Amino acid sequence: MEFRKLAEYYDRLEATTKRLEMREILVQLLGEATPDEAQRIAMLSLGKLYPPYVGIELGMAEKLAIRALRSVTGASEAEVEKLLAKKGDLGLVAEELLSKRKAQTILFQEPLTVDQVYTTFERIARETGEGAMENKVKLLTGLLAKAEPKEAKYIVRLVTGTMRLGVADMTFIDAASAVLGDISSFREDIERAYNITSDIGLVVKLVKVGGVEAVRGVRLRIGMPVRPMLAERLTSAKDILDKLGGKGLAEYKYDGERLQIHKDGSRIMIFSRRQENITHQFPDVVKKCGQRLSADQAIVECEAVAMDPDTGSMLPFQELMHRRRKYEVEKAVELYPVGLFFFDAIYVDGEDLMNRPLPERRSWLKEVVVSDETFGLTVAKLVEDPSDLDSFMQRAVEDGCEGVIVKDVSPKSVYRAGARGWLWIKYKRSYVSKLTDTVDLVVIGAFHGKGKRSGWYGTLLMSAYDPRSDTFKSVCKVGTGFKEEDLKRLKAMIEERVVRERPARVDSLMQPDVWVRPDIVLEIVGDEITVSPIHTCGWGTIQPNAGLAIRFPRFTGRYRSDKGPEDATTVDEIVEMYRSQLKSIVPEEGEAL
Ligand code: ATP
């Protein structure tokens, strides 16, 4: 496919904010592509080259892209800067500069193809070490020299990581289902394949190669992370046990980082909750798993918790963040060793365990994990009585955990990849002491600070995620809980993500000073949830023409960089929290006041 054609599709996608139209455009686009092109187009449209677990990103620095642009167009630095200040987007600058150049040079050139652009991007991304910058600029210059103005716009946006089409993995899941025919009949198959491969490009390719049969034939593969199973939440031990049919396995909910560990002989790979390959952050875990996971091949999940090496007690979540910085890993391994608490086995030596009930998966886990003091299964207890559950919860909190997760143990208790459901129910300490639990919300806008905060963003517009419409719905404005260092850090994070118009996936009646591409997830705690005429979260669910808002929201200091925007608290969870808050105020029928 010619890249010009893809650029035309991108123009059409950019021009609409309607989900249905977007899907239709993608269906046409995929219809015109070969299977390999479809895979590449899916990744490019999401602003990526590969799925997250490959760990290679395009993101070329803006100043390098400017160098390439100048060498192709002969524009001066001042000219580029002036245009950039006016347009606020290097893609548009490239389009304009190239449109001036084009008249003399375009005539006898071969058109660029999607494959050419993609493989050049691959080469740019893989350039490292000495001379890498120069080579990147050269490669991009070569590409821009062959590009038409409209193509240049998207080449520059893609290469600098600033694509803003407003499509996400979910949009492609819908589009891929629609390519097969009726969305509702095929969505489940597409989602299943996506949830066990974490690779939407591969799924789109399979749709094109072999239709639904190829998609259904997808199997777990070591080295490809499975999207995580997630928990719902409830606020009383009785409700939890009722929901689980009278009994459940209560496990400590450790406050650390979720790791999915893949073992293939002597090779150990570690994936984050967002399916990134984070093996390099945990050399100690790699070593230990090599020694203490007895299976030859396995996919298991655990929570890694930072431990105090002197006392052996668990440390707060934040201590693990030291491992994010490359040069600090070695030091962090020494200062903050981790304890590993395993809670699931998804695959062991040729056995796909996803459709087996939890008790069976846990037995496999016991077989595979050779325990020692800081390496073992989660503390767990089968509970059938609410008071038993409450005292187990108490013990978990005393031992330094956030609370417990109570899990279904019936024959239907399979591993549901990529889904938040009632097979796991979390029950946290904060539910009992406060009205609402913490929530993880996505920044969608920001307001300039005043007075002491001038020069910073003083208040942020926050949203919850609605998986049904794949949109972010506003739920509160948060302006408290920020320390000076947070204001600084957030300013930089926001500036990287500012967009000129409301992003297509954002649903908000409120107009912030700047719109922010939904990407930053922050932990927020509030006092209560109220009905609100200005926030769109849960619009019309509780009252017509009103949504829900979090009152007195505060930033807890916790950046949830382990979560993508689609992993944030959902609209349904907020609605559920509102309802359970009411239940705790209004006595149930027959109860004494
Ligand atoms: P939170 O924000 O509370 O960490 P979350 O959205 O990341 O929640 P949930 O599904 O709500 O995910 O809670 C499950 C998370 O709790 C897992 O992703 C995992 O990191 C952590 N966890 C700690 N202990 C356990 C356990 N025993 N079983 C399953 N998950 C556990």
Side-chain angles (χ1 to χ4, degrees):
M1 183 188 285
E2 288 181 6
F3 190 71
R4 179 194 297 156
K5 185 164 257 173
L6 182 59
E8 277 162 14
Y9 273 108
Y10 283 168
D11 270 354
R12 286 172 60 196
L13 282 168
E14 232 185 20
T16 178
T17 54
K18 298 204 181 78
R19 316 298 309 158
L20 271 179
E21 250 174 59
M22 278 190 175
R23 189 175 75 211
E24 281 316 306
I25 297 170
L26 287 179
V27 169
Q28 281 174 30
L29 169 58
L30 293 176
E32 287 200 51
T34 65
D36 284 331
E37 283 169 349
Q39 178 170 26
R40 291 173 165 187
I41 287 171
M43 292 327 293
L44 289 179
S45 311
L46 296 166
K48 301 176 192 166
L49 273 183
Y50 305 107
Y53 61 85
V54 176
I56 298 180
E57 280 181 32
L58 195 47
M60 184 168 169
E62 190 176 86
K63 66 177 195 311
L64 293 187
I66 291 180
R67 269 171 56 193
L69 199 53
R70 286 183 52 208
S71 93
V72 173
T73 60
S76 70
E77 199 171 337
E79 199 179 341
V80 175
E81 260 164 31
K82 201 169 140 209
L83 263 179
L84 189 55
K86 190 170 127 205
K87 298 193 176 278
D89 166 25
L90 196 59
L92 293 176
V93 173
E95 186 174 28
E96 173 148 343
L97 287 176
L98 262 84
S99 65
K100 288 184 192 156
R101 178 204 64 148
K102 278 290 118 170
Q104 324 108 42
T105 45
I106 185 181
L107 286 175
F108 304 106
Q109 263 170 21
E110 288 276 310
L112 275 175
T113 63
V114 170
D115 284 342
Q116 260 173 321
V117 173
Y118 184 90
T119 46
T120 311
F121 283 167
E122 280 187 311
R123 290 174 62 195
I124 292 177
R126 287 173 190 271
E127 277 289 342
T128 49
E130 216 181 308
M133 303 284 182
E134 287 313 311
N135 292 341
K136 281 176 196 264
V137 173
K138 254 190 236 154
L139 285 162
L140 181 59
T141 306
L143 210 49
L144 288 174
K146 293 183 201 149
E148 293 178 1
K150 187 183 297 193
E151 294 175 318
K153 172 169 78 177
Y154 291 109
I155 288 174
V156 165
R157 284 185 186 166
L158 283 163
V159 86
T160 53
T162 53
M163 270 308 259
R164 305 278 182 270
L165 292 180
V167 296
D169 289 19
M170 285 303 151
T171 332
F172 268 98
I173 287 183
D174 276 352
S177 317
V179 167
L180 288 174
D182 172 33
I183 296 188
S184 51
S185 329
F186 296 110
R187 201 186 151 102
E188 209 179 306
D189 293 307
I190 299 279
E191 272 190 2
R192 177 195 155 273
Y194 171 62
N195 285 332
I196 62 176
T197 60
S198 307
D199 186 348
I200 193 67
L202 175 68
V203 177
V204 167
K205 177 179 171 172
L206 289 174
V207 166
K208 298 279 300 180
V209 171
V212 72
E213 290 312 315
V215 173
R216 286 186 186 141
V218 169
R219 298 281 170 267
L220 280 180
R221 208 190 300 160
I222 300 211
M224 274 192 167
V226 175
R227 288 169 45 79
M229 173 162 183
L230 297 168
E232 285 286 353
R233 55 177 106 199
L234 279 177
T235 50
S236 92
K238 180 176 177 303
D239 288 353
I240 292 174
L241 288 174
D242 285 350
K243 192 93 190 169
L244 293 175
K247 75 174 168 196
L249 185 73
E251 293 183 28
Y252 276 17
K253 184 176 194 304
Y254 299 87
D255 189 12
E257 181 167 1
R258 183 175 188 151
L259 305 184
Q260 189 175 98
I261 299 177
H262 290 220
K263 180 173 190 233
D264 189 8
S266 59
R267 180 149 184 241
I268 304 284
M269 287 156 278
I270 304 175
F271 299 102
S272 71
R273 192 186 179 291
R274 303 178 68 174
Q275 298 84 50
E276 298 135 329
N277 189 329
I278 50 169
T279 313
H280 62 277
Q281 291 178 21
F282 294 96
D284 45 345
V285 172
V286 168
K287 191 163 161 214
K288 205 142 187 198
C289 288
Q291 297 161 343
R292 293 194 162 267
L293 287 180
S294 65
D296 189 40
Q297 289 198 315
I299 303 178
V300 285
E301 283 195 311
C302 66
E303 190 81 355
V305 185
M307 311 287 278
D308 183 329
D310 298 326
T311 63
S313 58
M314 295 193 271
L315 295 170
F317 169 88
Q318 277 80 351
E319 305 300 352
L320 276 181
M321 292 298 139
H322 297 281
R323 291 179 179 241
R324 292 261 153 89
R325 303 207 181 97
K326 269 194 188 132
Y327 53 91
E328 281 192 15
V329 169
E330 246 172 69
K331 217 166 69 191
V333 167
E334 227 173 89
L335 287 175
Y336 310 100
V338 293
L340 299 185
F341 302 95
F342 288 85
F343 55 80
D344 227 308
I346 300 174
Y347 179 89
V348 175
D349 286 337
E351 299 280 342
D352 177 347
L353 305 175
M354 293 219 334
N355 287 323
R356 314 280 177 86
L358 177 67
E360 194 180 327
R361 300 202 305 280
R362 203 161 161 97
S363 310
W364 280 92
L365 204 54
K366 274 190 198 136
E367 288 285 310
V368 169
V369 173
V370 182
S371 311
D372 71 10
E373 268 160 36
T374 56
F375 191 91
L377 270 59
T378 50
V379 174
K381 185 176 186 219
L382 195 67
V383 287
E384 298 186 48
D385 177 67
S387 66
D388 229 19
L389 176 51
D390 273 325
S391 47
F392 186 72
M393 152 83 136
Q394 212 53 49
R395 227 179 86 197
V397 171
E398 276 161 25
D399 284 345
C401 290
E402 285 182 293
V404 295
I405 300 194
V406 196
K407 299 182 179 175
D408 196 312
V409 285
S410 72
K412 66 173 195 325
S413 59
V414 297
Y415 188 94
R416 245 203 228 124
R420 194 178 285 286
W422 294 103
L423 294 175
W424 289 8
I425 304 175
K426 58 183 166 181
Y427 182 31
K428 288 207 226 169
R429 175 185 39 173
S430 40
Y431 297 136
V432 240
S433 56
K434 263 185 258 142
L435 206 47
T436 55
D437 180 22
T438 59
V439 285
D440 298 317
L441 302 178
V442 185
V443 181
I444 51 172
F447 299 85
H448 298 301
K450 298 194 185 94
K452 267 208 289 194
R453 292 226 177 140
S454 77
W456 308 111
Y457 291 109
T459 307
L460 307 183
L461 182 59
M462 307 300 294
S463 66
Y465 179 57
D466 180 10
R468 259 187 300 270
S469 57
D470 188 24
T471 53
F472 296 88
K473 313 252 187 206
S474 82
V475 67
C476 64
K477 270 166 65 177
V478 60
T480 39
F482 301 116
K483 299 203 189 90
E484 211 175 301
E485 68 213 52
D486 293 316
L487 293 174
K488 223 192 246 170
R489 182 168 168 188
L490 282 164
K491 184 173 181 197
M493 289 170 82
I494 287 171
E495 277 172 1
E496 271 177 33
R497 295 164 175 87
V498 166
V499 282
R500 275 187 304 169
E501 282 170 37
R502 181 174 58 77
R505 297 165 73 209
V506 163
D507 180 4
S508 164
L509 297 172
M510 203 175 264
Q511 172 88 24
D513 292 337
V514 295
W515 290 108
V516 179
R517 174 164 56 88
D519 190 36
I520 307 167
V521 185
L522 303 178
E523 188 180 80
I524 304 292
V525 63
D527 278 3
E528 61 174 336
I529 297 172
T530 56
V531 170
S532 153
I534 45 169
H535 286 291
T536 53
C537 173
W539 192 259
T541 320
I542 302 293
Q543 262 181 36
N545 296 320
L548 291 174
I550 296 178
R551 235 156 80 88
F552 302 125
R554 297 177 291 283
F555 176 47
T556 64
R558 197 155 165 172
Y559 295 81
R560 294 300 309 250
S561 41
D562 58 328
K563 285 193 170 184
E566 293 86 6
D567 302 320
T569 299
T570 61
V571 167
D572 283 355
E573 283 181 276
I574 303 266
V575 170
E576 187 62 38
M577 285 166 88
Y578 175 80
R579 291 200 171 116
S580 60
Q581 172 189 299
L582 284 188
K583 254 205 295 190
S584 67
I585 301 168
V586 185
E588 302 232 332
E589 222 180 320
E591 240 176 52
L593 266 175

